[in-house]
Amino acid sequence: MSKLLEIRDLRARIVGGRDILKGIDLDVAPGEVHAIMGPNGAGKSTLSSVLAGKPGYEVTGGSVLYQGRDLLALPADERAREGIFLAFQYPVEIPGVNNMYFLRAALNAGRRQRGAPELDASQFLKAVRDKLKLLDISDDLLRRAVNVGFSGGEKKRNEIFQMAMLEPKLAILDETDSGLDIDALRVVSDGVNRLRDANRAIILITHYQRLLDYIVPDHVHVLSEGRIVASGDKTFAAELERTGYAHLGTAA
Amino acid sequence: MSDLAMTEKPEPAADPLDALVQGGGDGYKYGFVTDIEADEAPPGLDEGTVRFISAKKGEPAWLLDWRLKAFHRWQRMSPPDWAKLNIASIDYQASTYYSAPKTGTGPKSLDEVDPELLKTYEKLGIPLGERAALAGVAVDAVFDSVSVATTYKDKLADLGIIFCSFGEAVREHPDLVRRYLGSVVPQGDNFFAALNSAVFSDGSFVYVPPGVRCPMELSTYFRINAAKTGQFERTLLIADKGAYVSYLEGCTAPQRDENQLHAAVVELVALEDAEIKYATVQNWYPGDENGKGGIYNFVTKRGACRGARAKISWAQVETGSAITWKYPSCLLEGDGSVGAFYSVAITNNLQQADTGTKMIHIGRDTSSTVISKGISAGRGQNTYRGQVKVMPKADGARNYTQCDSLLIGKKCGAHTVPYIEVRHPGAKVEHEATTSKISEDQMFYCQARGLTQEDALSLIVNGFCKEVLKELPMEFAVEAQKLLAVSLEGSVG
Ligand SMILES: Nc1ncnc2c1ncn2[C@@H]1O[C@H](COP(=O)(O)OP(=O)(O)O)[C@@H](O)[C@H]1O
Ligand SMILES: [Mg+2]
């Protein structure tokens, strides 16, 4: 299977700071689910930010190929339109902007890029109805401004709802499980599981093994101090649960 | 603010008033120069000029007297200097105050119009025929829109509604004009109002009879040609007892040939139980990125709620002009009358805006709402200046003011200057103000969903302005949204 994402010796830092990512290697093929685990401050969010193209980061070495193209050369919005989706650890509030309106703008931006016709209001509504069932999201949430006044759980659910609508090729879920109670975790995980697809890869970032009971990954990696220090299959997560990260150290 | 280019005298021929008919400034650049000497007043402003204008318009003696009185007041006045604006001094004697309508003197076809200008119209989604009209092209399309206006006029006449040019109103409805002209904005109200009263060119007149609900939005849009005849328009709008009218004003396209002072006066009168909604989208030419050129927009707008339970609401989207000096206000005279002011003002590049409102509570149980959204980008300076005044007899008066400023970039400024004068102990006056920056996190969140930087900015700004935009008539709101995006072009990245 050809690779969707190939990360080679990726080094990056916040502009002007010290390197946070110190040589990441990771290959992701379509259909695969990779979990990236690791302690707080390991660089997990930095990795997702760099992949999504967040300004303020500086790549100091290495390369990232996405569908064979140099991902790092693309601006964030183009990466998104090319099928990369980042579910934010802390989704951002946009006052006064209707959630549905926002989503439709996003969806149509991607469709324009692919040369697909834009969805009009009624086509869009139909698509929304289909996906809503997936995530147990109330109509009310759609009528409100983007993330404004949403509870932590609602924000995370909204992220996955966006993912369902945008149908990315590569979804990066940054701590989507954090702040969720067990019921919400189940709903969100069910949603993600339904979005698993042979043509879609998912990178699950978490520091709790708990999430992996619900979304079972194909591969598990441990990120520590800016490097992937250990990798394994789905059983590796359970092993980590017992042994912790500490003994893995910061192997080269 | 000493680094602003506005403090310097602009290049020769770019004197704000110079381009009035001389084809100075951008008027020259875009090919609107024509030999129209025969229809011009001699440069300068004296009693003779005022008489010349009045005679040209064939006005009755009472109106000439009224103008002259205003002129004599104006001579004794000086321009206001309290606004937070840097204004190059204007030589009022170097200008020309009357010119015949430009009909037939503009470009002959769209091919002759500056392509940049057409591109802007296109971005605004203005249909081709209207684009031609806006660019001042003397083609049949323009006159089409005039006949459209006439069609509506007949329909309105059936209901007893008068909607016509100011000049026509003077001829056809002199009693109404005489009764209300200057009754809300007295001639001596301020320097620019006095100037307007002396030399006003034309404008709109609306009268809605008792109990009549005007069935359509009235708009100056249909009379774009007439509006182009001068920079000193005068609008007078009267809603008689129990009447309702919604009025849209403005041109949503740059007027590059009018690179000068624009000093309009708008007077609204709402009698008992009447309601007036007045919306403006102002997008006069703002000048270039270096602050060259652009309109000086010094406008006096005021409405009087003259009867009990009368309502007046102002909604404005101000994106254009080099300088905006504008305070649409409400005199809440009638008991239980209601005033509202909803405003979005954008300043980009070197634009300056000093805008706000005055809510004067005179009657009992009067209430007012002020929502102001100021957006500053580039080196723009944006000031909200608002007054809430509660008079001693205004039992139960209430005001709520919310003033939000949004900064884009680091070189712009936002200022909030509220004046609160309460002479009644029971008045309830609330003022809230916030200043925020467009957050990088918001921008990135939008971009991470596929929106371009421009679309992201426009979305966030529109969200910020939501409470005001929803006060605009539907079709206007869409235009206003596009306008916000166009106005902020180049302010990020
Ligand atoms: N905005 C920031 N400014 C400075 N340092 C930061 C910033 N964000 C993260 N860091 C630092 O970068 C390192 C990695 O952080 P992060 O990628 O958020 O880790 P994780 O997501 O694995 O918890 C940490 O040492 C953190 O303190
Ligand atoms: Mg993190």
Side-chain angles (χ1 to χ4, degrees), chain B residues 238-280:
Chain B
I238 302 133
D240 213 320
K241 291 183 182 174
Y244 167 86
V245 61
S246 169
Y247 189 88
L248 313 180
E249 169 205 64
C251 175
T252 60
Q255 299 275 301
R256 299 226 180 185
D257 61 330
E258 295 181 327
N259 179 17
Q260 66 276 320
L261 179 65
H262 178 256
V265 170
V266 176
E267 296 180 279
L268 312 182
V269 179
L271 301 184
E272 204 175 288
D273 292 309
E275 179 172 3
I276 300 173
K277 288 187 177 178
Y278 195 102
T280 305

Side-chain angles (χ1 to χ4, degrees), chain B residues 153-184:
Chain B
K153 226 160 91 178
D154 290 345
K155 217 163 138 187
L156 294 171
D158 289 343
L159 291 162
I161 297 171
I162 303 165
F163 177 37
C164 62
S165 75
F166 203 91
E168 190 179 333
V170 169
R171 285 192 302 277
E172 309 287 329
H173 312 281
D175 294 345
L176 280 172
V177 176
R178 256 186 117 159
R179 179 161 0 142
Y180 291 106
L181 179 67
S183 76
V184 187

Side-chain angles (χ1 to χ4, degrees), chain A residues 77 81 86 93 159 162, chain B residues 442 445 447 449-451 466:
Chain A
D77 53 319
R81 293 193 300 272
L86 170 62
E93 300 186 0
E159 293 291 288
Q162 291 180 352
Chain B
Q442 286 176 332
Y445 189 74
Q447 288 175 269
R449 295 297 174 259
L451 303 179
K466 175 81 164 282

Side-chain angles (χ1 to χ4, degrees), chain B residues 36-47:
Chain B
I36 45 174
E37 263 166 54
D39 261 350
E40 278 178 22
L45 180 51
D46 58 16
E47 224 186 273

